[in-house]
Amino acid sequence: MSTDFEVFDFPELKPGPEKPLVLGPAGEVFDFVQTGESNGGKYLFSKLTVPPHVGPPPHIHHRTDEWFYAPNGGFSIFMGSNEFPDIDVTPGDGAAKETVTMLPMRPKELLFVPRDYVHGFVNTTSVNQEMWLVWTPDTPESSILPYFMNAGKVVTNKEELTEPDFLSRIRLVSKARDYGINQSADFWDFVQNVVEDRPEWLPADRRSTLLKLMHDEIEAQS
């Protein structure tokens, strides 16, 4: 496994209109910094506080691409190499289950997952960790912000890391398709095998694309 990677210095972004903190249905607290409401539909940016050994089961976004950034490391991201462009055809239901690669994330590492690919992540440490996520685009037709709002619950602070209640766990799966997501209920629903390696097919991190998306917000603060 290659140990080479280029550190990404995530730019400071001024928050857009304040959104409530949300305890997501997988157990993370979302702090939404920027939304399409304030940046012309370009992207949704959230800083997550993730408890130990917590993260979403494998899932597929069909309307958005996604960046993952681990300021302090402490996560493993998992993703598959095969595309599943049809929301009605999922691994294990119309298609073969996926082999996913499990990648430990280093501090200040940026990873990119295109839409239509199986992915997810987990905090592999024994303490709370931060994960920063960016989804693009964030238009009324594509936004997954309402998914987290409707499936999760509003909390008052980032330390309110309680277990999601029963209804939230149900809504994690039941509401996902409304927002163009195939969400598994269990790790092995979509997965047949796990490889712990850094493969040649791993997508480029597309940092220049991300910085271009955030250009106006960065310039406004300079």
Side-chain angles (χ1 to χ4, degrees), residues 5 26 50 65 83 95 109 128 135 180 183 189 203:
F5 84 106
V50 186
D65 304 317
E83 190 175 12
E109 182 165 15
N128 297 342
W135 300 266
Q183 175 65 67
D189 286 348

Side-chain angles (χ1 to χ4, degrees), residues 108-124:
K108 293 191 174 183
E109 182 165 15
L110 181 72
L111 292 172
F112 175 73
V113 177
R115 68 191 69 190
D116 299 331
Y117 286 80
V118 175
H119 64 283
F121 64 87
V122 64
N123 176 355
T124 54

Side-chain angles (χ1 to χ4, degrees), residues 13-25 28-39 43-49 61 66 131-135 138 143-155 157-158:
L13 294 179
K14 183 178 179 180
E18 186 175 357
K19 299 294 181 184
L21 296 172
V22 175
L23 175 64
E28 326 94 313
V29 171
F30 290 79
D31 182 3
F32 296 100
V33 180
Q34 275 279 336
T35 75
E37 176 185 338
S38 58
N39 61 43
Y43 63 93
L44 173 66
F45 170 38
S46 184
K47 295 182 178 181
L48 280 62
T49 303
H61 294 287
E66 187 171 9
M131 171 70 86
W132 299 3
L133 300 181
V134 178
W135 300 266
D138 189 48
S143 183
I144 59 174
L145 175 58
Y147 170 57
F148 297 122
M149 296 288 294
N150 293 329
K153 69 175 184 178
V154 173
V155 295
N157 64 75
K158 292 182 181 181

Side-chain angles (χ1 to χ4, degrees), residues 154-173:
V154 173
V155 295
T156 58
N157 64 75
K158 292 182 181 181
E159 303 307 314
E160 201 168 335
L161 295 171
T162 58
E163 287 278 333
D165 61 26
F166 177 78
L167 284 179
S168 286
R169 293 186 181 279
I170 295 297
R171 290 168 180 156
L172 171 72
V173 179

